[in-house]
């Protein structure tokens, strides 16, 4: 099958920081609204329980609220730190992305992955990068400067054809 596009992107600390900033801009509002909604629900349940004399159940809701808040605040921070310290960033892993008509491949020193386009969650374009999300949290990063086959403009048009509602 004919290779339509090829891109080699090296994961550095700067690339990862730029991705985290982009991701936070794109998804933080949803994240915070969801957190606020759950907190309002838990506070309502907590107040209701205390109002009707179910102190033990009210204390349980206080505990649930505290655990939920700690999780929502600290989990993303630990996740980002863990990813920043991972081998792919620290050892500046190179990913070679090859795009064909029906699928794409990702090759690096550890893996060789074949991925159909319909499995991509979303695709975003910024000034310097394409972010090919495979779920809400993980993304492949393609630098626009490192296309060895094809160019960023044609790649965007190609992805738009393949994923018209996800790009």
């Amino acid at each position: 099958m004919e290779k339509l596009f090829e891109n080699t992107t090296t994961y550095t600390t700067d690339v990862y920081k730029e991705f985290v900033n982009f991701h936070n801009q794109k998804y933080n509002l949803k994240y915070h609204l969801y957190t606020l909604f759950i907190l309002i629900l838990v506070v309502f349940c907590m107040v209701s329980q205390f109002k009707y004399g179910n102190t033990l159940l009210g204390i349980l809701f206080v505990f649930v609220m505290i655990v939920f808040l700690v999780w929502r605040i600290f989990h993303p921070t630990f996740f980002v730190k863990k990813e920043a310290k991972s081998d792919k960033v620290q050892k500046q892993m190179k990913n070679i992305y090859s795009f064909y008509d029906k699928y794409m491949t990702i090759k690096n020193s550890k893996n060789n992955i074949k991925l159909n386009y319909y499995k991509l969650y979303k695709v975003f374009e910024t000034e310097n990068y394409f972010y090919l999300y495979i779920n809400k949290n993980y993304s492949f990063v393609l630098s626009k400067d490192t296309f060895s086959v094809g160019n960023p403009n044609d790649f965007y048009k190609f992805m738009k054809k393949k994923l018209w509602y996800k790009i």
Side-chain angles (χ1 to χ4, degrees):
M1 190 165 271
E2 181 186 352
K3 189 182 299 185
L4 303 174
F5 300 95
E6 186 171 80
N7 181 296
T8 304
T9 300
T10 304
Y11 281 41
T12 64
T13 306
D14 292 336
V15 169
Y16 185 68
K17 284 180 184 176
E18 201 165 330
F19 167 70
V20 168
N21 289 336
F22 170 81
H23 182 79
N24 287 340
Q25 280 181 333
K26 199 53 96 174
Y27 289 105
N28 262 2
L29 180 62
K30 286 181 186 177
Y31 188 82
H32 294 312
L33 288 175
Y34 176 77
T35 302
L36 183 64
F37 175 74
I38 296 298
L39 281 178
I40 289 170
L41 213 58
V42 171
V43 167
F44 173 77
C45 292
M46 179 182 62
V47 168
S48 297
Q49 295 309 312
F50 283 129
K51 183 177 177 183
Y52 293 112
N54 296 331
T55 309
L56 193 56
L57 207 49
I59 292 171
L60 178 66
F61 277 113
V62 170
F63 178 73
V64 167
M65 182 176 70
I66 291 169
V67 169
F68 179 73
L69 278 174
V70 168
W71 174 259
R72 294 298 278 190
I73 291 169
F74 292 111
H75 178 261
T77 305
F78 291 132
F79 181 76
V80 168
K81 284 181 182 178
K82 179 183 166 195
E83 285 292 314
K85 291 179 182 178
S86 70
D87 283 348
K88 69 181 173 187
V89 175
Q90 293 300 316
K91 294 182 179 179
Q92 297 188 353
M93 180 186 288
K94 284 187 181 186
N95 280 347
I96 300 169
Y97 301 96
S98 300
F99 296 88
Y100 302 91
D101 188 43
K102 304 264 186 231
Y103 62 91
M104 63 185 275
T105 61
I106 301 106
K107 295 178 187 171
N108 56 43
S109 59
K110 294 183 179 183
N111 295 316
N112 188 2
I113 301 167
K114 180 179 174 183
L115 187 69
N116 291 319
Y117 296 115
Y118 72 86
K119 291 185 178 181
L120 291 173
Y121 175 71
K122 289 270 187 186
V123 176
F124 294 102
E125 179 186 22
T126 66
E127 186 178 328
N128 300 317
Y129 298 99
F130 288 103
Y131 299 115
L132 281 63
Y133 277 81
I134 54 174
N135 62 32
K136 285 190 232 181
N137 296 320
Y138 291 100
S139 174
F140 295 116
V141 179
L142 278 76
S143 175
K144 286 185 172 181
D145 299 334
T146 57
F147 276 91
S148 56
V149 176
N151 63 59
N153 292 332
D154 291 340
F155 178 73
Y156 177 80
K157 291 174 189 172
F158 173 76
M159 293 307 285
K160 186 84 169 160
K161 272 185 188 176
K162 293 289 180 189
L163 307 165
W164 56 273
Y165 63 95
K166 293 182 180 182
I167 193 163

